[in-house]
Amino acid sequence: MADLIVIEYDDVHRAEEIRLKLQKLQRDYLLDLADAVVAVKDESGKVKLNQVYNLTAAGAASGGFWGALIGLIFLNPLLGAAAGAAAGAVGGALTDVGINDKFMKDIANGFKNGTSALFVMCRKAPPDKVIEELKGTGGNIIKTSL
């Protein structure tokens, strides 16, 4: 069972600060984060999602490795690495893990301009611990059980 917690902040930088605090709690084994994404709505109303993991870069690195390895078989490792990196980057960019990006953008579009929101998905940890840590941070907490 996973729980989704959405917190809106009046500052564009506050959600990122709180996400770093939650990642520290995860390193201390106090909670298990499945995903933690910061959505920033700038003054013009455009929403940008800041993911924890860059899947495009990870896909490019993995694809480059496998492309070079396969390229060695065909005696052209540089071409194989380049083709593998390109394919891996495309695959990583098209991959969506964790919280649905469209869902987060739809929720963040309802917020005021110049604000940020933190989307946290917790697994195997009581969300009450997370909410207790987030009290007093100045955000509006919306909790939804998935």
Side-chain angles (χ1 to χ4, degrees), residues 14 68 71 76-77 91 111 114 119:
R14 186 72 174 148
N76 199 343
F111 297 150
F119 293 81

Side-chain angles (χ1 to χ4, degrees), residues 9-124:
Y9 295 98
D10 292 331
D11 182 11
V12 294
H13 302 291
R14 186 72 174 148
E16 189 67 46
E17 294 171 8
I18 302 304
R19 179 169 69 176
L20 292 174
K21 183 176 182 179
L22 290 176
Q23 287 174 330
K24 182 186 178 298
L25 291 174
Q26 183 175 7
R27 282 192 303 272
D28 294 339
Y29 300 105
L30 294 175
L31 61 98
D32 186 12
L33 291 177
D35 199 7
V37 180
V38 173
V40 177
K41 187 170 183 183
D42 61 13
E43 294 299 332
S44 65
K46 184 173 183 197
V47 176
K48 181 178 186 298
L49 299 178
N50 299 325
Q51 305 275 352
V52 174
Y53 305 109
N54 186 351
L55 296 175
T56 304
S62 174
F65 169 75
W66 288 108
L69 190 63
I70 292 171
L72 279 172
I73 295 171
F74 296 107
L75 301 176
N76 199 343
L78 291 178
L79 181 62
V90 169
L94 296 176
T95 303
D96 184 21
V97 295
I99 307 169
N100 187 316
D101 290 353
K102 184 180 179 327
F103 170 76
M104 289 186 287
K105 285 187 177 185
D106 289 344
I107 297 290
N109 277 327
F111 297 150
K112 297 182 294 186
N113 292 352
T115 61
S116 62
L118 177 61
F119 293 81
V120 179
M121 185 183 294
C122 296
R123 63 177 172 232
K124 296 182 185 175

